[in-house]
Amino acid sequence: MGEAERPYSADDGVLALSEAPPSPARRAAQGVDALRHGWPIRIGRAPPLLAAETASGDVRADRMLISHARGVTLKLANQSAAAVPEAPVAMRAAEPLLLAQALAIADPSADLANPLKGPFKALSIDWAEEAQAALELARIAGILPAFLIEPEPEGEAVSLSASDLAAWHNLDTLRIAARAHLPIAATDNAEIIAFRSAHDLREHVALVIGERNANRPPLVRVHSECLTGDILGSLKCDCGPQLDAALHAMASEAGAQNGWGILLYLRQEGRGIGLINKMRAYRLQDQGFDTVDANNRLGLPDESRDFPVAARMLDLLGVSSVRLLTNNLAKVVALEECGIRVIERIAHQLPANPHNERYLATKRDRAGHLLT
């Protein structure tokens, strides 16, 4: 039987799927997965890159990709160049770097325990877009933004392009995955709704308190996950008290005023830098840096939370206007830019304690948070 006459078989579909080129979102996901596993990546025209934090084995390289903020500490970039702390810098060491040496260069929270060696030389980068994409991939993966350039042995690299990151941030695949009644300490009239995206392993949730009232926009709190504050009762921040106060405010709204509320709990620990990097930032804070400078010394943004995902969640819940419980104008702007009307901003200020006074002052003075 000739090829033209051969009947279709189930294997044909499997073959077609395996031969189809991966989508941009899939390539971005594969890139993040590679970094978490310590596998090399190749972004566009950039040379192979290996994450200094997660790599293993007898690997070495004489060049590294780091952030501008880290470059300042290593005397490789001037202060004006570090105005964007997470911008990329390439450097060459005098001798090939082993993984332990590369990690010491990558992690500023360990500087006191690992005095830095040199000399290092700054290099020009003719693949700047790809370098920036690599640092952003590291942030998404929750690892330090530092890479060995052309490691030896090289290994098989996962390939992607810098433009693939746009697909990672695409919210079109976010969907409601499950919902259930959930009595909580603040009220027994609450429903929890879980959201899932094909592009992102983080599963965000909404807690709807009270009965939907079409004539009254809900009281909404956009709250980003904080393991230390929400669960462990950390006094270094005000996240736990803010979460508890928001839930009780919504319960009061539902009980006394015929209103309702929505808590959007976003899985983006440490203002979007991840739990491990947040711990590194805490260690830097213990050394005297404030929360903004600590993030910047890590080569990470002081604010990288994804507020548009909150707007997408509200859209899926059929909510187009809200009364927002926040001191952060960035949340108001982000929701309105995504089509959610903020008809009222309600202050959400709680008393300081001796451990978080500086943190709250930094949010006010350097992050633009309001007091009222």
Side-chain angles (χ1 to χ4, degrees), residues 264-311:
L264 301 176
Y265 196 85
L266 309 182
R267 304 295 303 280
Q268 41 191 9
E269 182 76 56
R271 291 177 171 260
I273 67 173
L275 180 62
I276 304 301
N277 282 330
K278 174 181 165 181
M279 297 300 98
R280 294 186 174 111
Y282 275 4
R283 188 172 179 180
L284 287 167
Q285 289 172 35
D286 290 340
Q287 296 172 17
F289 298 97
D290 68 25
T291 183
V292 171
D293 286 337
N295 278 33
N296 290 347
R297 285 183 71 85
L298 288 167
L300 296 165
D302 58 276
E303 176 61 271
S304 54
R305 288 176 290 181
D306 181 6
F307 294 134
V309 74

Side-chain angles (χ1 to χ4, degrees), residues 7 21 40 97 116 119 123 136 175 187 212 257 277 280 296 306 355 360 363:
L97 298 164
L116 296 173
L123 303 173
E136 172 65 3
R175 295 287 185 272
T187 177
R212 180 184 290 263
Q257 303 179 45
N277 282 330
R280 294 186 174 111
N296 290 347
D306 181 6
H355 300 278
L360 296 179
K363 288 206 298 183

Side-chain angles (χ1 to χ4, degrees), residues 242-261:
Q242 280 194 336
L243 175 61
D244 188 60
L247 292 173
H248 280 88
M250 293 174 191
S252 176
E253 177 88 6
Q257 303 179 45
N258 197 31
W260 58 306

Side-chain angles (χ1 to χ4, degrees), residues 64-341:
M64 284 188 68
L65 177 70
I66 56 176
S67 69
H68 257 308
R70 194 62 176 142
V72 169
T73 303
L74 300 175
K75 311 301 182 186
L76 295 173
N78 60 35
Q79 292 294 337
S80 62
V84 181
E86 64 272 22
V89 166
M91 53 157 277
R92 183 187 297 278
E95 297 179 355
L97 298 164
L98 300 174
L99 279 179
Q101 296 168 314
L103 187 56
I105 291 171
D107 187 358
S109 69
D111 280 353
L112 296 181
N114 298 291
L116 296 173
K117 307 297 183 182
F120 304 119
K121 179 183 179 181
L123 303 173
S124 61
I125 301 178
D126 58 6
W127 36 278
E129 183 182 7
E130 290 82 358
Q132 188 66 63
L135 298 192
E136 172 65 3
L137 275 175
R139 184 197 67 79
I140 293 171
I143 64 174
L144 290 166
F147 295 86
L148 298 172
I149 300 174
E150 290 190 298
E152 297 179 356
E154 182 177 305
E156 184 177 356
V158 172
S159 297
L160 66 154
S161 68
S163 61
D164 291 338
L165 281 178
W168 176 272
H169 296 296
N170 188 334
L171 297 174
D172 289 346
T173 64
L174 190 70
R175 295 287 185 272
I176 293 176
R179 58 202 308 162
H181 174 244
L182 182 70
I184 60 173
T187 177
D188 60 2
N189 186 12
E191 180 187 26
I192 188 168
I193 303 169
F195 298 77
R196 176 182 289 160
S197 170
H199 300 164
D200 192 346
L201 291 178
R202 298 173 302 175
E203 294 169 338
H204 308 291
V205 298
L207 192 67
V208 179
I209 293 177
E211 302 300 326
R212 180 184 290 263
N213 184 343
N215 298 317
R216 185 173 176 82
L219 181 63
V220 170
R221 171 69 182 167
V222 177
H223 187 93
S224 295
E225 175 183 39
C226 178
L227 173 70
T228 50
D230 298 343
I231 306 301
L232 303 178
S234 168
L235 298 178
K236 287 178 69 72
C237 64
D238 58 345
C239 301
Q242 280 194 336
L243 175 61
D244 188 60
L247 292 173
H248 280 88
M250 293 174 191
S252 176
E253 177 88 6
Q257 303 179 45
N258 197 31
W260 58 306
I262 303 175
L263 172 78
L264 301 176
Y265 196 85
L266 309 182
R267 304 295 303 280
Q268 41 191 9
E269 182 76 56
R271 291 177 171 260
I273 67 173
L275 180 62
I276 304 301
N277 282 330
K278 174 181 165 181
M279 297 300 98
R280 294 186 174 111
Y282 275 4
R283 188 172 179 180
L284 287 167
Q285 289 172 35
D286 290 340
Q287 296 172 17
F289 298 97
D290 68 25
T291 183
V292 171
D293 286 337
N295 278 33
N296 290 347
R297 285 183 71 85
L298 288 167
L300 296 165
D302 58 276
E303 176 61 271
S304 54
R305 288 176 290 181
D306 181 6
F307 294 134
V309 74
R312 174 62 176 161
M313 292 165 71
L314 289 170
D315 183 56
L316 290 170
L317 293 173
V319 174
S320 59
S321 60
V322 301
R323 296 157 55 235
L324 194 62
L325 194 60
T326 187
N327 302 319
N328 187 354
L329 286 179
K331 293 181 181 179
V332 176
V333 173
L335 292 186
E336 292 191 329
E337 286 181 346
C338 293
I340 301 297
R341 184 180 172 217

